[in-house]
Amino acid sequence: MDAELSSQPIVASRVSKKKMNWYLWGTLFILPEVVLFILFLWVPIFKGIFYSFYNVDFVDGNHFTGLANYVSILKDDLLWISIKNTLIYMALGIILGFWIPPLVAIAVSELRRFQGAARIISYLPSAVPAIVLYGMWMWFFDAVGPINSLLQKIGIDQVSFFSPKLAMSSIVVLETWQSFGAATLIYIAAIVGIPKDLYEAAEIDGASVWQRVRYIILPSIKTLMGLLLVLQLITTSQGFQAQLSMTDGGPNNATLTYLLWLNHTAFRDLEFGKASAMGSLMFFVLIGMTILYNVMQRRSEKA
């Protein structure tokens, strides 16, 4: 008995050392990634906040200006124009694009045959490179492009897709076409994870397709839809690539989003201090949205 009691601390010590070795090796493996993460993400963020209080001048040197950059942003008429356009862009993304992935996922999941082919086809637009995507849709939306040619053949007047009223909607349409495939696969994975017993019970009770969708699928993916909604809001709040490539903020600033205005301020107007202040303001807004996203994600994990 005494021998067994004396051996227990030795065994515990060995187990403890083995765990420490695993923790050490694990730390060594992730250390390069942590260093790169700090160097290329957090260091630029803190430098941006630091330079937001300076007038950045590569010739005469930087000069501390306090809150002057923030005051300049608040007095600039483009601030409210860019915020309004960003909110419109986010709203159109929800109205025109948010509902397509779950609808396509439900339609694919209800197919009795060729589900694999349907999943591949739905994802293909996401594989199109951005430069090809924008060139292709510029041709689609052109005055003599295929869409207007088809409309004229059926007796409908030519549509100016890049007019001030339609430019943002046109951009949302092309981005929805490109990005709905990835979200569709996420929804399909969630639908596949629904217990088969529920479907079997519904079929025995004579439930229709709409009833299965309403009472089984939608309640099961409701939390996921909430998470993807918050994630889409975070993503669209940073939208500028399509606006820059397709319209450069025009016509008449109709597609000038906040991040595109920041890009123009930094690289066209060369006001890096003001651009840093704009980035800092957006950083804190996105932190709030990210906190909301994490709270919803934790709720979904508990559910």
Side-chain angles (χ1 to χ4, degrees), residues 114-155:
F114 306 114
Q115 274 199 24
R119 294 176 187 178
I120 294 173
I121 293 171
S122 64
Y123 185 74
L124 283 179
S126 299
V128 178
I131 188 66
V132 177
L133 173 77
Y134 299 139
M136 180 179 69
W137 280 95
M138 285 287 286
W139 173 59
F140 283 163
F141 289 144
D142 193 81
V144 293
I147 297 178
N148 272 315
S149 298
L150 178 62
L151 292 176
Q152 288 178 347
K153 285 183 180 180
I154 60 178

Side-chain angles (χ1 to χ4, degrees), residues 44-225:
I45 287 174
F46 286 115
K47 279 192 172 182
I49 296 174
F50 175 78
Y51 286 126
S52 68
F53 299 102
Y54 281 80
N55 176 27
V56 180
D57 193 325
F58 295 114
V59 178
D60 298 328
N62 304 332
H63 303 284
F64 181 77
T65 57
L67 297 175
N69 288 321
Y70 293 94
V71 173
S72 175
I73 293 170
L74 295 176
K75 289 183 177 180
D76 200 319
D77 293 336
L78 290 179
L79 171 65
W80 310 112
I81 293 174
S82 64
I83 290 176
K84 182 191 73 173
N85 289 336
T86 302
L87 293 175
I88 291 173
Y89 178 60
M90 295 167 68
L92 288 174
I94 295 173
I95 296 170
L96 300 179
F98 177 73
W99 305 103
I100 293 179
L103 291 177
V104 174
I106 292 171
V108 171
S109 66
E110 290 294 326
L111 291 176
R112 298 298 181 183
R113 302 174 62 185
F114 306 114
Q115 274 199 24
R119 294 176 187 178
I120 294 173
I121 293 171
S122 64
Y123 185 74
L124 283 179
S126 299
V128 178
I131 188 66
V132 177
L133 173 77
Y134 299 139
M136 180 179 69
W137 280 95
M138 285 287 286
W139 173 59
F140 283 163
F141 289 144
D142 193 81
V144 293
I147 297 178
N148 272 315
S149 298
L150 178 62
L151 292 176
Q152 288 178 347
K153 285 183 180 180
I154 60 178
I156 300 177
D157 293 337
Q158 185 183 92
V159 177
S160 179
F161 289 102
F162 292 118
S163 64
K165 291 184 178 180
L166 295 178
M168 192 67 82
S169 300
S170 301
I171 290 174
V172 171
V173 168
L174 76 89
E175 289 202 322
T176 299
W177 182 86
Q178 182 200 27
S179 60
F180 84 94
T184 298
L185 292 184
I186 295 174
Y187 282 115
I188 290 175
I191 294 172
V192 170
I194 298 174
K196 300 296 182 184
D197 297 344
L198 297 177
Y199 289 105
E200 293 173 359
E203 290 181 0
I204 293 172
D205 293 338
S208 63
V209 174
W210 166 243
Q211 288 174 327
R212 290 202 304 271
V213 171
R214 181 180 178 183
Y215 296 108
I216 298 177
I217 296 179
L218 289 180
S220 300
I221 65 173
K222 180 176 65 175
T223 304
L224 176 63
M225 291 179 70

Side-chain angles (χ1 to χ4, degrees), residues 214-276:
R214 181 180 178 183
Y215 296 108
I216 298 177
I217 296 179
L218 289 180
S220 300
I221 65 173
K222 180 176 65 175
T223 304
L224 176 63
M225 291 179 70
L227 289 175
L228 291 182
L229 174 61
V230 175
L231 190 59
Q232 178 172 323
L233 291 175
I234 293 173
T235 303
T236 52
S237 67
Q238 304 175 68
F240 87 100
Q241 182 174 315
Q243 289 82 355
L244 176 64
S245 302
M246 302 289 288
T247 61
D248 197 26
N252 298 326
N253 294 325
T255 59
L256 183 70
T257 59
Y258 184 84
L259 202 62
L260 181 57
W261 179 40
L262 188 157
N263 183 277
H264 285 171
T265 302
F267 301 109
R268 189 180 65 185
D269 302 334
L270 301 180
E271 297 182 26
F272 295 103
K274 182 178 179 179
S276 297

